[in-house]
Amino acid sequence: MEAFPAEILSLIFVFASDEDVLFQHGLPTTMASSAWFKGMFGVWTLRSPNEALNVLQRRSYSTKRSIMMTCRAFHRVASELMFHCLFFNTPDKLPLLCAELDKKTTDPSPAWWSRRVHLTSYNPVSVLDRDNGTALCSVLRHCSNLEIAVLSIPTTVDSFMFLADTLCTYNKHTLRTLHVSVPISSLSKLIWMLASLPNLTCLHVALTSTKDQTTDEEEAPELGAAQDIMFTLAHLTQLSLNGHTGPFLEQACNWNFPSLRFLSLNTFHSDIIPFLDAHGEDLTFLDVTWPGPTRIHVDQAILRCPQLTTLCFNADWSFEGELTHERVHSVGLHGLKLAFSPPTSGDRAFPLDSMMRRANDANFASVLASGHFPKLERVRVLSGAVLSDLEKRGGPAGAPPGPYGYTDESEDGMKRWERWWDTCHGAGVRLEDCTGGELGILPGFEAEIDDEDDEDDEESDEEVEGSEDPGEEEEEDDEEEWEEYSWEYEVPPVDDDTSGVGELRKLIEECREMERSRPP
């Protein structure tokens, strides 16, 4: 092992710890696929792309630790890997690493190898306060080669001021991806920070406010000298905005994004047309939504994006115009929380629910209408909550008959799914859920269907050996039964190994086994 080149070992360890995935500059969009997994109680649960990335980082750390514990040669080569990606699931851990880095006297610092810093928290009320913000800035000062900074915890005014100054001073030339949550009152500081980060390629900004505001009451902070400033982010390819984005969008109309291709807006600011007039000409991906009553004129927005290939919007909204585009081949639908659920008769909000379901049908019909999207290949239901509800109920819910035995098909989730499925099938369009599978295929039935297939094959072989005619009749009965239950049981094969490093993982398992078998 001593004679084995350290460069080869390092490359193997990098692939084994999934760093090729972790160091991708792009941020997950709403079209990124979720995945089913079984929890500790055997309950099927959806894992979002962002949560999958968190799990991958924890697994990567465990893999690197196992490599280091294997032998001295591995420890010497892999020690720097521990600092390639710094992942914190709580801001309280930041001061500990800060103290350790400040003690180091080696040149370069261990954090010189750090390319990704990821800070998150599973506490919904957690914020990056002044003390933890100071510790984070101290860590970032050591990360002179930082490329990706994902800071999903909301910052305060003080902590963001320190953070912006640190990034612009120590990481301005290397930083490519930035994910940050900023109070709307610090918008001016955010603008100056962006103007000082010329090499950004992917940017996500969540603008938060402590006030409960409606669309017309959106806070307009004082910008001072940052107002109407003009600058260029020549490499910015992906822009994602969340929250109180109105003032940001107004100012961004004066900026220059020549490489912008992906735009995601989760905002109740409905007037996005001026921004698209300035930056929509080369967009290929447009995602606009908000869970509230805001209605964005998507029918007018897509006219500003002639190169668009993927469109995502809230299907609960209603539009006066028709949705049409010559280049779009993928459509994602937000909302739809009532589309396949049981009717809420007897509830005060029932008329509004009925209007929402009709809006779902109208938007789906507009997307699938002949000539509206001539290159359409797939329609995806983006809500994980919708798919989780379908899994809990075992499929769409049917509407019970009324007092006269009449069933309103507009309130029947099963009828709606059948209509949508038949429409997509007739148009040659794939109807998907948020996992990328066909809508209606639920987890947990794959083993059952494989067993049924094996039994049917054995019975068919035996019947063919004895007599052909009875076998043909039995096969026809099986086909009729399959068609009756196809919605529930058709499950495509899933390839668990999608990383392309299966052989390297076997090597890591062998290393772990060596560590376990080593005498104390």
Side-chain angles (χ1 to χ4, degrees):
M1 189 61 67
E2 292 289 343
F4 205 72
E7 293 80 2
I8 301 298
L9 280 178
S10 179
L11 184 61
I12 292 175
F13 297 157
V14 164
F15 281 109
S17 55
D18 295 306
E19 290 195 351
D20 56 328
V21 179
L22 296 176
F23 292 149
Q24 292 180 3
H25 291 165
L27 296 168
T29 67
T30 54
M31 290 294 283
S33 298
S34 302
W36 288 107
F37 74 100
K38 269 191 176 182
M40 63 175 61
F41 300 107
V43 178
W44 285 104
T45 308
L46 273 176
R47 177 177 287 144
S48 68
N50 287 323
E51 178 57 26
L53 196 58
N54 294 345
V55 172
L56 184 64
Q57 290 176 105
R58 290 193 289 268
R59 188 178 71 181
S60 176
Y61 176 81
S62 178
T63 299
K64 295 172 184 177
R65 185 177 179 83
S66 297
I67 292 173
M68 290 183 62
M69 299 290 289
T70 302
C71 63
R72 292 180 179 177
F74 279 22
H75 186 281
R76 183 172 59 254
V77 174
S79 58
E80 67 184 53
L81 296 181
M82 298 295 291
F83 288 89
H84 279 192
C85 176
L86 303 180
F87 175 73
F88 306 89
N89 57 12
T90 173
D92 297 335
K93 301 294 184 181
L94 288 167
L96 299 178
L97 178 61
C98 175
E100 289 298 322
L101 291 177
D102 290 340
K103 292 179 183 177
K104 298 291 184 179
T105 58
T106 58
D107 187 20
S109 168
W112 184 88
W113 302 99
S114 300
R115 295 172 55 193
R116 179 186 180 99
V117 172
H118 191 122
L119 175 61
T120 186
S121 176
Y122 293 96
N123 184 353
V125 297
S126 178
V127 295
L128 187 66
D129 57 24
R130 185 187 184 97
D131 293 338
N132 288 330
T134 302
L136 174 62
C137 293
S138 180
V139 171
L140 293 177
R141 283 196 293 269
H142 291 277
C143 303
S144 55
N145 292 311
L146 184 67
E147 296 180 13
I148 304 170
V150 179
L151 314 173
S152 57
I153 298 181
T155 59
T156 62
V157 173
D158 290 339
S159 62
F160 178 70
M161 179 178 65
F162 299 149
L163 175 64
D165 290 341
T166 301
L167 291 176
C168 294
T169 303
Y170 297 94
N171 312 108
K172 63 182 299 183
H173 297 297
T174 61
L175 192 63
R176 299 293 186 272
T177 300
L178 178 62
H179 181 299
V180 66
S181 181
V182 183
I184 187 65
S185 56
S186 298
L187 179 59
S188 60
K189 191 68 176 178
L190 173 65
I191 293 175
W192 286 116
M193 181 189 73
L194 295 179
S196 302
L197 299 174
N199 295 321
L200 276 180
T201 59
C202 301
L203 173 65
H204 173 89
V205 177
L207 291 161
T208 61
S209 176
T210 57
K211 301 178 182 178
D212 294 329
Q213 299 164 325
T214 64
T215 306
D216 298 330
E217 297 172 346
E218 189 169 8
E219 184 177 347
E222 294 291 337
L223 298 181
Q227 187 168 3
D228 298 328
I229 186 177
M230 299 182 65
F231 60 88
T232 298
L233 294 179
H235 307 289
L236 187 67
T237 304
Q238 180 182 3
L239 175 62
S240 176
L241 302 175
N242 194 339
H244 301 267
T245 61
F248 184 96
L249 289 174
E250 292 176 4
Q251 296 300 314
C253 292
N254 299 322
W255 308 337
N256 189 20
F257 304 142
S259 301
L260 187 62
R261 298 295 182 270
F262 297 82
L263 177 63
S264 300
L265 300 174
N266 192 337
T267 172
F268 59 68
H269 182 74
S270 59
D271 190 14
I272 66 171
I273 302 301
F275 182 88
L276 293 178
D277 286 335
H279 306 292
E281 184 176 358
D282 295 322
L283 286 180
T284 60
F285 179 96
L286 177 63
D287 178 10
V288 287
T289 187
W290 180 256
T294 298
R295 184 180 67 183
I296 296 176
H297 297 285
V298 179
D299 51 335
Q300 300 179 21
I302 59 178
L303 298 178
R304 272 75 176 177
C305 309
Q307 305 299 322
L308 203 63
T309 59
T310 302
L311 170 66
C312 303
F313 67 95
N314 195 323
D316 293 338
W317 297 337
S318 58
F319 306 109
E320 297 178 358
E322 294 289 343
L323 298 175
T324 177
H325 200 283
E326 294 181 354
R327 292 178 176 267
V328 170
H329 56 69
S330 299
V331 172
L333 302 178
H334 293 283
L336 300 176
K337 62 180 180 179
L338 301 177
F340 309 108
S341 62
T344 53
S345 56
D347 191 271
R348 293 182 180 179
F350 175 69
L352 296 178
D353 294 348
S354 197
M355 291 174 58
M356 191 175 296
R357 290 189 176 96
R358 286 178 169 80
N360 297 158
D361 287 330
N363 287 325
F364 188 85
S366 180
V367 170
L368 271 295
S370 177
H372 283 197
F373 294 95
K375 294 186 177 181
L376 187 64
E377 298 175 0
R378 60 172 175 165
V379 175
R380 176 174 290 190
V381 176
L382 300 176
S383 174
V386 170
L387 187 56
S388 296
D389 289 342
L390 288 176
E391 191 277 330
K392 292 177 182 178
R393 290 193 300 267
Y404 300 101
Y406 169 75
T407 301
D408 187 356
E409 292 192 359
S410 65
E411 305 296 331
D412 192 311
M414 177 60 76
K415 294 292 185 181
R416 175 171 291 104
W417 177 85
E418 291 175 350
R419 290 197 308 271
W420 289 13
W421 181 271
D422 292 341
T423 302
C424 287
H425 181 73
V429 175
R430 179 180 170 89
L431 182 60
E432 299 179 347
D433 57 35
C434 62
T435 68
E438 293 180 333
L439 181 65
I441 296 175
L442 301 177
F445 299 108
E446 187 174 19
E448 296 180 18
I449 216 171
D450 289 341
D451 294 340
E452 291 178 1
D453 288 343
D454 294 339
E455 293 175 1
D456 291 342
D457 291 341
E458 292 175 1
E459 293 176 0
S460 177
D461 292 340
E462 294 175 358
E463 291 168 356
V464 168
E465 291 177 0
S467 174
E468 294 185 358
D469 293 337
E472 292 178 358
E473 295 177 359
E474 188 73 20
E475 185 178 354
E476 292 177 358
D477 294 339
D478 290 341
E479 289 178 356
E480 292 177 359
E481 184 177 357
W482 178 273
E483 292 176 357
E484 181 179 356
Y485 294 103
S486 63
W487 189 91
E488 189 176 7
Y489 290 105
E490 278 189 33
V491 180
V494 177
D495 185 6
D496 292 330
D497 185 12
T498 59
S499 63
V501 291
E503 293 298 325
L504 297 178
R505 294 201 181 285
K506 292 180 181 179
L507 173 63
I508 302 306
E509 291 300 326
E510 294 176 4
C511 296
R512 291 172 177 167
E513 183 62 28
M514 291 171 56
E515 176 64 23
R516 287 192 292 266
S517 61
R518 176 182 297 174

